[in-house]
Amino acid sequence: MGRVIPTASANNVEMEQLSAAYAHLTKNGIPARQTTTMIAAVLDELGKTGSTTDEILREKTGKAFRELSAEGWSLTDVLAVVDEHAKENDLTMKDLFSSTVAGSGALALFSGEGAEFSEILEQMNSVGGETQANFETISDTAQLDG
């Protein structure tokens, strides 16, 4: 995961998104090492100025991948825009990525139109909220004891 974090950070992709991507791909039988390579390739291509996917995102949304991520768009939200463009032009999403690895990664992340990825992400976000609530409870209790 350490290999992907700098690229994710540069593109405003939050840790929950990255974790959900890992969970989704490994759950579907892709080894962790290959998952890292795929996610890195997808993020590189989406975030690279002038790439086909960058041009599609700018044309359809007026914004770059890093801007969309900063606004809270999920990877599947972004991939849905790319997929829509592919369908409009009788292509597959994989055709729009210059790297086979990135194209395969995008297809894997967007399988089922991103439903499984979104479900995993939602579960991770709800757990994060529970963790924060538990932390606040512990903090309040510690103040009462002191």
Side-chain angles (χ1 to χ4, degrees):
M1 199 179 227
R3 205 178 99 208
V4 179
I5 289 173
T7 303
S9 178
N11 287 295
N12 298 312
V13 176
E14 295 188 5
M15 186 57 88
E16 291 84 2
Q17 293 275 334
L18 196 53
S19 298
Y22 269 91
H24 175 60
L25 295 180
T26 57
K27 178 182 177 186
N28 285 292
I30 300 172
R33 186 177 194 155
Q34 188 176 350
T35 292
T36 297
T37 301
M38 292 174 109
I39 293 170
V42 170
L43 296 179
D44 281 341
E45 190 122 1
L46 288 172
K48 184 178 180 183
T49 302
S51 69
T52 301
T53 54
D54 174 63
E55 290 176 4
I56 291 166
L57 292 173
R58 289 176 191 270
E59 175 189 320
K60 298 276 187 183
T61 68
K63 297 179 181 179
F65 174 54
R66 71 182 151 277
E67 294 170 302
L68 296 170
S69 294
E71 290 179 5
W73 286 49
S74 72
L75 281 172
T76 54
D77 293 336
V78 170
L79 291 174
V81 173
V82 176
D83 186 58
E84 178 184 318
H85 179 84
K87 288 176 181 172
E88 289 170 354
N89 292 282
D90 293 323
L91 300 168
T92 68
M93 187 180 340
K94 192 171 182 176
D95 294 327
L96 302 175
F97 286 84
S98 63
S99 155
T100 301
V101 173
S104 296
L107 287 174
L109 286 168
F110 196 64
S111 63
E113 301 205 347
E116 185 176 356
F117 176 91
S118 296
E119 182 180 318
I120 292 168
L121 181 60
E122 186 177 310
Q123 290 171 354
M124 287 188 173
N125 284 333
S126 70
V127 169
E130 290 173 19
T131 302
Q132 181 64 32
N134 290 338
F135 174 76
E136 289 171 8
T137 300
I138 290 169
S139 296
D140 288 343
T141 304
Q143 290 174 5
L144 291 175
D145 290 339

